[in-house]
Amino acid sequence: MSKAVYPGTFDPVTYGHLDVIRRGAQLFDSLVVSVAGSSVKSALFSVEERVTMMKLLTADLPNVTVASFDGLVIQHVRDLDSRIILRGIRTVGDFEYELQMALTNRNLDHSIETIFVMSSEKYSFVRSSTIKEAVRLGGDVVDMVPPLVADALKKKLRK
Ligand code: COA
């Protein structure tokens, strides 16, 4: 059984992340989408909110489960009895950041491999921080995030 872990902040989850999840679900027997706790970045949504949104948006994928973690990602991957980290690359701009993360993780644990999938070019410009800025300033983000995420963003950012 191949099991991969897709870690991320997912603050919030976008169509780009969901594209990576769908590709991963087809490649591995099981895929755990792991939401990083607030120690990683200061997040707009709590871990519980991000996990809930992720569960709702992946409910149609039977081999995908959602978890959360704090601390080192490699320890979390080991705890799940996996050896594979899945990440998406959108553009060449992502490459350096992803390379650094993958090599750091490899140095911390040589038995864990990072596997990349190319995200759909349709979402190559999508990133969580610009989506939050757009919503805060009154923009419509329906093409970038699912409706439940767009609604949650409006509630948080347009109080
Ligand atoms: N589609 C759309 N957007 C994407 C994307 C895709 N396929 N891939 C990345 N992004 C965007 C996100 O929207 C986000 O945008 P933002 O910077 O504006 O918020 C950014 O790119 C990256 O976010 P995300 O994919 O959620 O992952 P991350 O880089 O925040 O996750 C962790 C990083 C959590 C995996 C990493 O910090 C980690 O492993 N931390 C644990 C501590 C640790 O082990 N450290 C040592 C290893 S480096």
Side-chain angles (χ1 to χ4, degrees), residues 7-10 14 16-17 20 36 40-41 69 71-73 87 90 97 101 105 119 126-129:
T9 311
F10 307 117
T14 68
H17 294 129
V20 172
V40 178
K41 279 183 188 173
F69 73 103
L72 282 178
V73 70
R87 292 285 292 173
R90 294 163 297 175
Y97 171 66
M101 258 198 321
N105 286 328
S119 314
V126 170
R127 69 179 314 134
S128 303
S129 49

Side-chain angles (χ1 to χ4, degrees), residues 6-12 14-20 34-37 39-41 69-75 85 87-90 94 97-98 100-102 104-105 108 117 119-120 123-132:
Y6 178 30
T9 311
F10 307 117
D11 185 46
T14 68
Y15 280 132
H17 294 129
L18 292 170
D19 175 63
V20 172
S34 289
V35 176
S39 58
V40 178
K41 279 183 188 173
F69 73 103
D70 276 305
L72 282 178
V73 70
I74 48 144
Q75 186 56 51
I85 295 175
R87 292 285 292 173
I89 290 192
R90 294 163 297 175
D94 282 343
Y97 171 66
E98 293 296 337
Q100 278 175 15
M101 258 198 321
T104 303
N105 286 328
L108 292 170
V117 293
S119 314
S120 166
Y123 305 118
S124 59
F125 66 97
V126 170
R127 69 179 314 134
S128 303
S129 49
T130 48
I131 290 171
K132 285 182 271 196

Side-chain angles (χ1 to χ4, degrees), residues 66-124:
V66 182
S68 62
F69 73 103
D70 276 305
L72 282 178
V73 70
I74 48 144
Q75 186 56 51
H76 175 64
V77 172
R78 283 188 208 129
D79 292 343
L80 290 169
D81 273 332
S82 172
R83 287 278 169 271
I84 305 166
I85 295 175
L86 173 72
R87 292 285 292 173
I89 290 192
R90 294 163 297 175
T91 60
V92 71
D94 282 343
F95 181 76
E96 202 157 329
Y97 171 66
E98 293 296 337
L99 179 70
Q100 278 175 15
M101 258 198 321
L103 294 181
T104 303
N105 286 328
R106 181 183 287 167
N107 266 277
L108 292 170
D109 187 332
H110 285 265
S111 71
I112 292 180
E113 204 60 65
T114 305
I115 293 185
F116 297 99
V117 293
M118 292 296 170
S119 314
S120 166
E121 69 280 7
K122 216 169 136 191
Y123 305 118
S124 59

Side-chain angles (χ1 to χ4, degrees), residues 140-158:
D140 189 357
V141 293
V142 285
D143 289 342
M144 298 177 243
V145 293
L148 79 88
V149 176
D151 289 345
L153 280 166
K154 279 188 214 154
K155 276 191 200 128
K156 282 260 183 201
L157 296 168
R158 293 194 199 157

